[in-house]
Amino acid sequence: MNGHESAPGLAADWAWATITNHAESGHCGGCRGTWCPTAEWALWVVITDRIVPADRRTLVTVVARQVMTAHWPRGVDGCRPCGLPDCGRMALAATWLEVVRDDYLPPSVDALRPTMAPTDEDLRRITGMD
C-alpha cells in the first residue's frame, strides 16, 4: 500500500462539497472565469463513483450545465478550455444531462434557436420560393 494514498471516501466527500458549492453559488476558489477544472473533476467523481442519490440529482444537473456551457465549442477549434474537437468533459456533462432527460443548451446557443416553427409563408419568404 502506498503511504501517499488518502482514506477511502475523502475524494467523494470533497467532490460532493464542490458540487454543492457550485450548484448553490455558481463558483468556487478553483474557478478560472467561467471555466472550473475543480467542478469538472467533482462531476466526474460523483457520476463515476456510484449511483447519484435522487435528492442530489438537481445539484449534479446544475454543475453539468455549467461544464457544458464552459466547454461548448466556439468555432472549428473545439471547446475553449481544452481546444479539443471531441472534448471529454463536455461528453461527460452531456451524458449526465441525457440520463436525466435534460435538453439543456448553453444560453449562447439557445438564443439562436427559433422561438416557434416557421410558417409556410415564412419558408417561402426565406427561400424565395413562391
Side-chain angles (χ1 to χ4, degrees):
M1 180 157 161
N2 188 342
H4 299 294
E5 291 184 67
S6 2
L10 290 180
D13 293 342
W14 183 254
W16 277 114
T18 301
I19 291 287
T20 303
N21 186 44
H22 259 269
E24 292 176 352
S25 68
H27 60 83
C28 72
C31 289
R32 300 175 186 168
T34 59
W35 173 54
C36 184
T38 306
E40 294 167 4
W41 166 81
L43 184 65
W44 179 81
V45 169
V46 301
I47 289 174
T48 60
D49 182 46
R50 52 184 82 100
I51 296 173
V52 175
D55 62 333
R56 293 185 174 187
R57 286 183 174 207
T58 301
L59 299 172
V60 176
T61 300
V62 168
V63 175
R65 287 176 170 191
Q66 291 169 354
V67 170
M68 177 76 82
T69 299
H71 285 269
W72 192 266
R74 291 169 177 84
V76 296
D77 296 329
C79 77
R80 189 167 288 162
C82 300
L84 299 172
D86 57 347
C87 174
R89 291 166 180 97
M90 191 172 84
L92 178 70
T95 300
W96 173 259
L97 293 173
E98 185 178 337
V99 165
V100 295
R101 293 190 164 105
D102 185 323
D103 59 352
Y104 175 77
L105 286 175
S108 61
V109 177
D110 196 38
L112 300 174
R113 291 183 8 181
T115 55
M116 55 193 259
T119 64
D120 289 340
E121 183 180 313
D122 291 333
L123 291 172
R124 284 188 196 98
R125 182 180 43 80
I126 292 168
T127 62
M129 298 172 71
D130 291 323

